[in-house]
Amino acid sequence: MVESMIRDSSLAPEGQKKIDWVKEHMPVLSKMGDLFEQERPFAGRKVVMCLHLEAKTGYLALTLQKGGAEVTVVASNPLSTQDDVVAALVAQGIRAYAWYGATAEEYNLHLHKALDTRPDLIIDDGGDLVSLLHSDRKDVLPNIIGGCEETTTGVLRLKAMEKENTLAFPMIAVNDALSKYLFDNRYGTGQSVWDGINRTTNLVIAGKNVVVIGYGWCGKGVAMRAKGLGAKVIVCEVDPIKANEALMDGFQVMPLVEAAPIGDFFVSVTGNKNVVRKEHFKVMKDQAILANAGHFDVEISKQDLYNLAVNVVEVRDNIQQFELPDGRKLNLLAEGRLVNLAAGDGHPAEIMDMSFALQAQSLRYLLQQRENLKPGVHRVPEDIDRQVAQLRLDALGLKIDRLTPEQVDYLDSWRL
Ligand code: ADE
């Protein structure tokens, strides 16, 4: 067995069942796995995946392994790791450094151990691996051909590095592909956030006031599904264009300080820090529910909650209750970490099928094009983006129309 650091290898059969279940619902990735098995595009290559270690990610790791890669997995968040899934991967020859609830030191050690394998290729979710490679682990940089980034926050960090000219290798912004963010960010987050909140709180959403903070693609999904569950939705934004969009999508728009006394549920989806803070907690209703769906646990100020509280109790798994001096109680879900993964299983399998098919194809593209891709942030090529969308339709047995030759000519022409 390859060297690993995991919680309990005896959990492997449970984890394998979870992987087998999602596999049935990820036909696009399965198709790529079949091709990879024949072509072995990653033969002799080491890949480190820093992702949320749940079943769909496990299936991606096994797919790359089929293509000849020597795969190491490490967590992109200490609370999203599913120990049984990780055990199942290790049982299949994948190296893993991760366990649920890793402390900050352990999390950091795991990232270092993964980089000690000196990967050729990386997949990152949120940018922690790239950040470490450009700070404490510059020794590994010469090995790296490039990588792919999964999420909005990670792409923002990469673009900041690119602007400063510090990004040392090509990174493909998988997040920015159309067949990623239009589905994963919007419908994936929309469903998985409510799944996480519902299974954690077991409370009704219909008739409640839901405050969605941030109206990017993820916020749009969260607001849309809250409406579908019967909530009255309020959107808070800092961007006038997005605020107009929210308004015309049928939501109330107001500053958070005005929404704070009204809201029953608050969901932050901004990618920024200290978005929900002291001045808001001070006016919130008793029993308000606070959840975060952004990548880092910085959006809801835990510091302010601890400073204000006279008592903190874990009232139910994944719910910390902060009692304020006047007796009001505020409920923080999943320690303010992304609620869909820290208190759920992440996005549905069919959604991650497209996202992870894009990851697999982009990684192969990176390897094929390594001589031509300069350090910096690159888009997923349009043909890969469209291929993934088409394969998903094929898997569903759905056909769509084609342009006639006359229509193609018409679109290409400027003459009347
Ligand atoms: N499962 C694995 N990675 C995920 C992500 N970034 N978002 C939601 N679910 C996931």
Side-chain angles (χ1 to χ4, degrees), residues 54 80 82 192 195-196 199-200 318 338-346:
E54 48 89 8
S80 61
Q82 300 192 12
S192 62
D195 175 24
R199 65 167 95 170
T200 307
N318 269 327
L338 68 190
V339 69
N340 54 345
L341 281 144
D345 291 313

Side-chain angles (χ1 to χ4, degrees), residues 191-325:
Q191 180 166 330
S192 62
V193 161
W194 288 106
D195 175 24
I197 294 174
N198 289 341
R199 65 167 95 170
T200 307
T201 63
N202 191 27
L203 295 174
V204 77
I205 311 297
K208 299 271 179 70
N209 290 320
V210 167
V211 181
V212 179
I213 310 140
Y215 205 64
W217 288 105
C218 295
K220 284 186 176 69
V222 173
M224 171 174 62
R225 292 299 179 239
K227 184 176 177 177
L229 286 166
K232 292 170 277 178
V233 181
I234 299 169
V235 171
C236 304
E237 247 305 333
V238 290
D239 177 335
I241 300 195
K242 291 181 180 160
N244 271 289
E245 260 188 297
L247 195 66
M248 294 202 191
D249 286 343
F251 303 123
Q252 267 191 284
V253 175
M254 64 181 77
L256 183 52
V257 78
E258 285 174 31
I262 310 170
D264 298 296
F265 289 84
F266 294 82
V267 186
S268 59
V269 215
T270 68
N272 214 331
K273 67 190 287 199
N274 295 334
V275 174
V276 191
R277 50 183 186 265
K278 187 166 52 185
E279 72 226 54
H280 310 119
F281 301 139
K282 281 188 170 164
V283 292
M284 280 180 186
K285 281 190 211 172
D286 183 35
Q287 291 298 344
I289 305 281
L290 310 171
N292 168 49
H295 184 78
F296 288 113
D297 59 341
V298 296
E299 307 209 6
I300 301 173
S301 173
K302 288 191 265 187
Q303 192 61 58
D304 282 356
L305 274 174
Y306 278 108
N307 288 345
L308 288 174
V310 290
N311 198 17
V312 185
V313 191
E314 172 147 3
V315 287
R316 195 177 145 101
D317 269 1
N318 269 327
I319 308 185
Q320 280 172 297
Q321 195 166 73
F322 291 80
E323 186 178 345
L324 305 186

Side-chain angles (χ1 to χ4, degrees), residues 5-168:
M5 289 173 76
I6 65 170
R7 179 76 71 203
D8 180 355
S9 55
S10 75
L11 300 172
E14 279 312 298
Q16 192 56 49
K17 277 194 207 161
K18 289 183 178 175
I19 297 172
D20 290 343
W21 168 255
V22 298
K23 183 175 161 181
E24 300 293 332
H25 302 276
M26 300 180 80
V28 181
L29 193 58
S30 295
K31 185 156 195 149
M32 272 160 206
D34 294 344
L35 283 177
F36 287 174
E37 200 165 20
Q38 290 162 23
E39 295 172 10
R40 307 272 296 170
F42 305 112
R45 297 295 181 189
K46 286 185 253 170
V47 178
V48 168
M49 294 172 36
C50 177
L51 289 167
H52 298 290
L53 299 180
E54 48 89 8
K56 280 92 73 186
T57 313
Y59 190 42
L60 172 63
L62 293 168
T63 303
L64 298 179
Q65 188 188 45
K66 263 190 169 181
E70 189 185 315
V71 183
T72 300
V73 297
V74 66
S76 61
N77 184 302
L79 289 195
S80 61
T81 301
Q82 300 192 12
D83 289 322
D84 49 3
V85 169
V86 175
L89 293 179
V90 171
Q92 298 212 48
I94 284 176
R95 197 182 280 110
Y97 300 104
W99 51 68
Y100 174 82
T103 62
E105 292 73 35
E106 288 166 347
Y107 180 79
N108 203 33
L109 171 69
H110 293 160
L111 289 176
H112 276 277
K113 294 290 284 181
L115 289 182
D116 286 346
T117 64
R118 309 194 79 78
D120 304 288
L121 297 163
I122 61 164
I123 300 182
D124 214 354
D125 185 333
D128 283 354
L129 206 57
V130 167
S131 183
L132 192 59
L133 276 165
H134 288 78
S135 50
D136 293 355
R137 294 309 302 267
K138 285 197 174 122
D139 60 301
V140 186
L141 275 181
N143 281 68
I144 307 277
I145 294 171
C148 298
E149 169 55 53
E150 171 75 9
T151 200
T152 315
T153 293
V155 171
L156 282 175
R157 290 171 93 185
L158 290 175
K159 288 192 173 153
M161 293 177 80
E162 186 182 45
K163 208 165 151 194
E164 277 180 8
N165 269 328
T166 44
L167 186 56

